[in-house]
Amino acid sequence: MYNNNIKHREAAELTAYLKTLDRRNRANFIKWVAEECDVSRAVVYSWRYMCSRIPEYAKEIMEKCAGQQIFFDDIDIDIDQPSHETQST
C-alpha cells in the first residue's frame, strides 16, 4: 500500500507541474524527458497517470529540464491541525 501512495503522490506532483505549462511546452517537456530517459513518451505518460512509479533517475532529469523542484519528500503534514507555534509581539 505504501508503494501505491508514493506512486499517486509522485504522479500528482508531476501533473501539477505540467499544468503550469501551456500545451506546446507540455508536449516539448514530455518529449524531452522521454528522450533523456531513453524511454517512449507512452512510458512518461504512464508515470503521469499512476501506471508505474517514476524512477529516481527520471525525477532528476525532469527537475533538471524544469529548472525547479517538482518532487518533494513524503512529509506527513496535517493541514487541518492548527499550528502550535507562538508569535511574539
Side-chain angles (χ1 to χ4, degrees):
M1 187 63 129
Y2 181 71
N3 191 38
N4 203 35
N5 291 341
I6 294 170
K7 181 174 63 172
H8 283 261
R9 180 181 45 84
E10 291 173 348
E13 291 168 339
L14 175 57
T15 297
Y17 170 72
L18 291 173
K19 285 184 176 183
T20 67
L21 304 176
D22 62 32
R23 185 176 178 186
R24 177 170 291 177
N25 286 330
R26 185 173 30 244
N28 288 337
F29 179 83
I30 289 170
K31 181 180 177 184
W32 187 87
V33 168
E35 289 173 358
E36 290 294 311
C37 293
D38 197 28
V39 298
S40 69
R41 287 182 308 154
V43 171
V44 178
Y45 281 108
S46 76
W47 295 335
R48 179 180 181 189
Y49 294 114
M50 298 172 273
C51 298
S52 61
R53 281 193 60 187
I54 304 170
E56 291 300 318
Y57 79 92
K59 289 190 246 179
E60 292 173 10
I61 289 171
M62 287 180 205
E63 290 180 338
K64 180 179 122 184
C65 178
Q68 68 183 54
Q69 186 174 6
I70 298 173
F71 304 99
F72 299 90
D73 292 335
D74 192 1
I75 301 171
D76 292 328
I77 297 176
D78 188 353
I79 60 173
D80 295 330
Q81 293 295 329
S83 174
H84 294 291
E85 295 178 14
T86 57
Q87 296 179 346
S88 57
T89 55

